[in-house]
Amino acid sequence: MRTIDYTPLYRTIVGFDRLANMIDSAAKQETGNGYPPYNIEQLSEHEYVIELAVAGFGDNDLDVQVQENVLTVAGKRESDDGEPRQFIHRGIAERSFERRFHLADHIQVRDARLENGLLVIRLEREIPEAKKPRQIAINGKSGAKLISGSKTKAA
C-alpha cells in the first residue's frame, strides 16, 4: 500500500480543506476490513442507493445516523442468553461493525429499510433554491439587459 502526500495540495488551494480531508480519510478507511460488503448504485442524476449485506442482523441490531455529511451505519448483535452454539462451519460473520460514508453537500437520507438480509438506504440530492442558477440583470448606459444563468441542472 502506498501513501499519498497531500501537502502540496494544501499549499495551492484555499477553502477546500474539507475536500482534502475527506480524500485523506477515505484513503485511510480503505485499508480497513471490507465487512460488511456493500453496493452504491446511482438510480438517476440525483438519486442513490447504498446496500449493505447484513445477514443475521435485525432492525434492533442496526443503527443508521447522519451527522455533518457523514452517514454512519453500525451493527451490534445482542448476545444470546441461551446455550452456546456449536458450529461445524461458520460462514456468516455476525460480528459488530461500523461503516462510514461521506456524503456530498445537499445529499439527504430519504429512508432505510431491511429486506432479505440487505440494509437498503435511499439517498437523494436536493439542491436549495439559493444554490440553483439564476438570472442577473446588467445595468449600463444603454439600459438593463438580462443575462441568463446556466440552463443545465447544478450538480
Side-chain angles (χ1 to χ4, degrees):
M1 174 69 193
R2 62 185 164 164
T3 59
I4 300 171
D5 182 18
Y6 293 107
T7 307
L9 184 64
Y10 287 119
R11 287 192 306 247
T12 59
I13 62 174
V14 177
F16 290 94
D17 301 344
R18 186 172 147 248
L19 178 63
N21 289 336
M22 282 177 23
I23 292 169
D24 193 34
S25 68
K28 288 177 185 174
Q29 239 179 21
E30 289 304 314
T31 61
N33 67 17
Y35 181 77
Y38 64 93
N39 295 328
I40 301 176
E41 181 181 3
Q42 184 172 6
L43 301 177
S44 69
E45 185 179 0
H46 297 288
E47 290 182 284
Y48 305 88
V49 169
I50 298 174
E51 298 172 318
L52 287 100
V54 291
F57 288 86
D59 294 347
N60 296 332
D61 301 325
L62 298 169
D63 183 40
V64 180
Q65 293 184 11
V66 178
Q67 183 177 6
E68 296 179 9
N69 289 7
V70 177
L71 170 65
T72 304
V73 180
K76 184 170 179 153
R77 290 280 313 227
E78 297 295 326
S79 61
D80 294 330
D81 292 334
E83 295 180 26
R85 298 163 63 187
Q86 187 174 24
F87 293 96
I88 295 176
H89 170 75
R90 185 168 188 167
I92 301 172
E94 296 180 351
R95 64 180 177 259
S96 296
F97 68 89
E98 182 173 281
R99 170 84 57 190
R100 294 177 189 269
F101 300 93
H102 293 271
L103 305 178
D105 291 336
H106 314 300
I107 297 285
Q108 304 294 320
V109 177
R110 290 293 166 223
D111 63 33
R113 63 188 185 283
L114 189 60
E115 55 185 38
N116 301 325
L118 292 175
L119 176 63
V120 179
I121 303 169
R122 194 171 62 88
L123 309 168
E124 187 174 356
R125 181 186 323 246
E126 218 176 73
I127 301 170
E129 287 297 320
K131 300 285 183 179
K132 291 183 181 176
R134 57 189 166 91
Q135 295 183 333
I136 309 295
I138 297 177
N139 296 315
K141 292 181 182 178
S142 62
K145 280 199 288 188
L146 200 60
I147 300 270
S148 291
S150 171
K151 296 292 184 199
T152 60
K153 288 184 177 180

